[in-house]
Amino acid sequence: MKIENKIIVRRLVAGILLMLLAVVIYSETNEISRISALSSSNEFNAVVGAGYILAIFAAIIGVFFSVTCKTRPKKWIEYSLSAFAIILMLLISLTDNLYLFKDLGLFRWGFIILVALGLPSKNGFKNMPFVSKKEAVTIDQPINNNDEIKSAPVKDTSSELRELKKLFEDDVITQEEFDAKKKQILKL
């Protein structure tokens, strides 16, 4: 049974919003960076670094969600992405100097919510379940085997026609018999 690839709207929306969030985080981090240039505080540098890291990974995950919004999810990729987002949030929370960059906390929560929105549930998306292990091997090939079934009779038909032609050329059958049998083989 072939499952058609349909657009996963919530994944596409999450991807676009993550890319927009990345732009906002980047511009806000640039502002903080300008302020921190006046001060050589390590706290400012840590917060600016966390802002840039969050912006970069929001953009990467946003692009990934947008590109994969029409493909069936693979469990290992989705679980790895979830683990990565959690680890990233834990690392960024270590630079929790929110009094220096108040929007960083808001951006972190926005990132978490949008990543959660773009990730599939336990069994995948509603109309796009996870790719099974069997399908993972032949993901680029069609799932239904109708093509193979249709191609087998064509080979038999062509070999029958060759044999019939050989019989005609060897004068075993007449032109009328050849034409009648040819129509029968081709189902005309």
Side-chain angles (χ1 to χ4, degrees):
M1 177 179 169
K2 184 174 181 175
I3 297 175
E4 285 187 39
N5 291 342
K6 298 177 184 177
I7 289 183
I8 305 162
V9 176
R10 76 174 207 208
R11 191 171 181 109
L12 179 62
V13 168
I16 292 169
L17 291 176
L18 274 167
M19 288 186 283
L20 290 173
L21 181 68
V23 170
V24 171
I25 294 171
Y26 182 79
S27 65
E28 287 291 319
T29 304
N30 269 341
E31 290 297 317
I32 296 297
S33 177
R34 288 186 193 135
I35 294 170
S36 71
L38 302 174
S39 166
S40 61
S41 170
N42 285 339
E43 291 177 339
F44 270 120
N45 292 337
V47 170
V48 167
Y52 283 132
I53 289 170
L54 187 61
I56 289 167
F57 287 110
I60 290 170
I61 294 173
V63 168
F64 175 75
F65 281 172
S66 298
V67 168
T68 61
C69 72
K70 199 173 178 180
T71 59
R72 289 181 55 203
K74 295 177 182 82
K75 255 186 191 175
W76 71 272
I77 292 175
E78 303 300 328
Y79 287 162
S80 299
L81 191 62
S82 302
F84 175 75
I86 291 169
I87 291 169
L88 181 65
M89 287 301 102
L90 290 174
L91 291 174
I92 289 177
S93 68
L94 294 175
T95 64
D96 211 355
N97 296 323
L98 295 180
Y99 67 93
L100 296 174
F101 189 8
K102 293 179 182 176
D103 291 339
L104 186 60
L106 179 66
F107 293 149
R108 281 193 332 222
W109 281 106
F111 176 80
I112 291 169
I113 290 169
L114 290 173
V115 168
L117 177 69
L119 290 173
S121 63
K122 180 180 170 186
N123 298 321
F125 294 102
K126 185 178 179 182
N127 294 326
M128 298 276 278
F130 283 120
V131 175
S132 68
K133 289 182 182 180
K134 279 185 179 179
E135 293 171 337
V137 175
T138 59
I139 193 71
D140 295 331
Q141 297 174 356
I143 294 174
N144 75 18
N145 295 327
N146 290 343
D147 296 336
E148 295 172 15
I149 294 169
K150 289 177 185 175
S151 63
V154 171
K155 291 179 185 175
D156 292 339
T157 303
S158 62
S159 62
E160 283 184 60
L161 286 173
R162 279 190 213 109
E163 290 175 18
L164 186 64
K165 176 82 172 166
K166 186 171 168 101
L167 290 173
F168 174 69
E169 289 173 349
D170 292 341
D171 291 327
V172 175
I173 59 173
T174 64
Q175 180 70 40
E176 293 82 24
E177 293 171 325
F178 173 79
D179 292 337
K181 187 67 176 173
K182 181 178 169 185
K183 285 182 181 179
Q184 182 184 7
I185 292 171
L186 295 175
K187 298 177 185 175
L188 296 176

